[in-house]
Amino acid sequence: MRLAKPRVAPLDLGTLDADQAEVLAPFQERGPVLNIFATMARAPAALKAFLGWGNYILSRRNSLSPRRRELAILRTGYLCGSGYEWTQHHRIGLNSGLSAAEIETIKGGPDVGQWSPLERAILRACDQLVSDHFVADATWQALEEIGEKGRMDLVFTVGQYTQVSMLLNSFGVQLEADVALDPDLDRR
């Protein structure tokens, strides 16, 4: 976490205007509204557009398998120093076929751990996209197995979660009360 308290506080769910209530209704129907959505709902039109793209990234329309997608999301969140993103996707990663040990190893990058050549290339692409906003030719070639759409979806995924990490960090979105921050991401 970069900030100990929010710069942009989550909305009080008891005082929503009509647009905010509409965009948060699906979340309220499923249970508690996460702080990210209660914060972003301060700009309901932006949240609605954000959800459309985010739903593509997290859907089966994204050609990356859930494991590969979460590998990319977790590496991107870690590189961006987003404690909130890391915490949320740690759980999702476990449900997508990554082990707790693999998730911990993601922090070390593509040259640490027992990754397959393709998984190393995914991690390396994340590093390159976050640091240079470009996938090097050798890495692009190493991603050949996932094809053109897979490469595109990888760039889309890293781009989406770089943006998510930026807004979480800059708005100061705080973790939900029932989760703990990974000490490696406490950057206050």
Side-chain angles (χ1 to χ4, degrees), residues 75-188:
R75 183 64 182 156
T76 301
Y78 186 77
L79 291 170
C80 293
S82 180
Y84 189 98
E85 190 58 44
W86 178 268
T87 301
Q88 291 296 332
H89 280 271
H90 186 281
R91 177 184 45 80
I92 297 168
L94 290 172
N95 292 331
S96 297
L98 291 167
S99 70
E102 287 174 319
I103 291 172
E104 187 64 26
T105 303
I106 288 169
K107 296 174 183 177
D111 297 320
V112 175
Q114 300 298 312
W115 304 112
S116 71
L118 178 58
E119 290 170 333
R120 279 190 201 289
I122 289 169
L123 291 168
R124 186 162 282 108
C126 294
D127 288 9
Q128 292 169 352
L129 286 164
V130 170
S131 69
D132 191 35
H133 312 292
F134 177 77
V135 178
D137 288 342
T139 304
W140 192 261
Q141 188 61 37
L143 294 166
E144 184 176 19
E145 179 182 329
I146 60 175
E148 180 177 77
K149 184 169 184 315
R151 290 171 176 150
M152 292 175 70
D153 283 338
L154 177 59
V155 174
F156 294 155
T157 300
V158 173
Q160 164 72 359
Y161 281 91
T162 299
Q163 176 190 22
V164 170
S165 295
M166 287 189 298
L167 71 88
L168 290 166
N169 290 342
S170 296
F171 298 168
V173 176
Q174 300 297 298
L175 294 173
E176 279 65 34
D178 63 338
V179 294
L181 177 63
D182 184 308
D184 291 337
L185 285 155
D186 190 356
R187 300 184 181 180
R188 291 176 269 189

Side-chain angles (χ1 to χ4, degrees), residues 21-60:
E22 178 185 345
V23 76
L24 288 177
F27 298 104
Q28 290 181 302
E29 291 168 7
R30 289 189 294 243
V33 177
L34 295 176
N35 288 337
I36 182 176
F37 302 120
T39 300
M40 290 185 70
R42 289 190 173 278
L47 176 55
K48 188 173 183 178
F50 170 87
L51 292 171
W53 182 240
N55 286 339
Y56 170 81
I57 297 298
L58 293 175
S59 75
R60 290 184 179 160

